[in-house]
Amino acid sequence: YDEFLTGVRSEGRFTIGQSLLPKIVSVPAATVPLTLLVFLGFNPPDDQGRPQQQDPRVTIFIKVVFFGIPFACCVFSVLLKARFPLKSETIRRQVREGCALHMQG
């Protein structure tokens, strides 16, 4: 589809981005929120494993970072997907024809 739109094949860039980007993002995505929890005053469970009362800042941070931001990203991605340009029959037909020509060599 990308070659159809731009005339340039870019699956190499896509493959590198698909495999490398999650590796680069995963470490900060896992460590930064937990580090910020400590700085905000998170109280770990006691020796028997019972949860402790948390500061309101910690509770709000957990709600925003672990629910609010992912939910907002999900809604944003749905809106982007809804605007994806494969809506008209003309474009879908052109893509099918391009795929058929590609399969022929």
Side-chain angles (χ1 to χ4, degrees):
Y1 180 72
D2 194 40
E3 185 178 5
F4 170 72
L5 288 180
T6 64
V8 178
R9 295 178 66 171
S10 62
E11 57 268 5
R13 282 181 278 175
F14 175 77
T15 303
I16 288 173
Q18 182 184 17
S19 63
L20 188 60
L21 189 61
K23 293 174 187 172
I24 293 171
V25 172
S26 65
V27 173
T31 58
V32 170
L34 298 177
T35 303
L36 291 174
L37 272 177
V38 172
F39 285 119
L40 289 173
F42 177 77
N43 297 318
D46 64 11
D47 293 336
Q48 287 76 37
R50 291 180 295 226
Q52 301 299 307
Q53 184 69 28
Q54 299 297 331
D55 186 87
R57 294 181 306 163
V58 172
T59 306
I60 291 170
F61 180 81
I62 290 172
K63 289 176 182 177
V64 169
V65 170
F66 296 106
F67 175 74
I69 293 173
F71 180 76
C73 289
C74 179
V75 169
F76 181 66
S77 68
V78 167
L79 293 174
L80 284 178
K81 178 67 177 167
R83 293 178 44 105
F84 197 70
L86 290 177
K87 292 186 178 181
S88 73
E89 181 56 37
T90 304
I91 292 176
R92 288 193 293 267
R93 181 181 46 77
Q94 290 173 338
V95 170
R96 284 193 301 271
E97 289 171 0
C99 289
L101 288 173
H102 180 74
M103 295 300 288
Q104 291 174 1

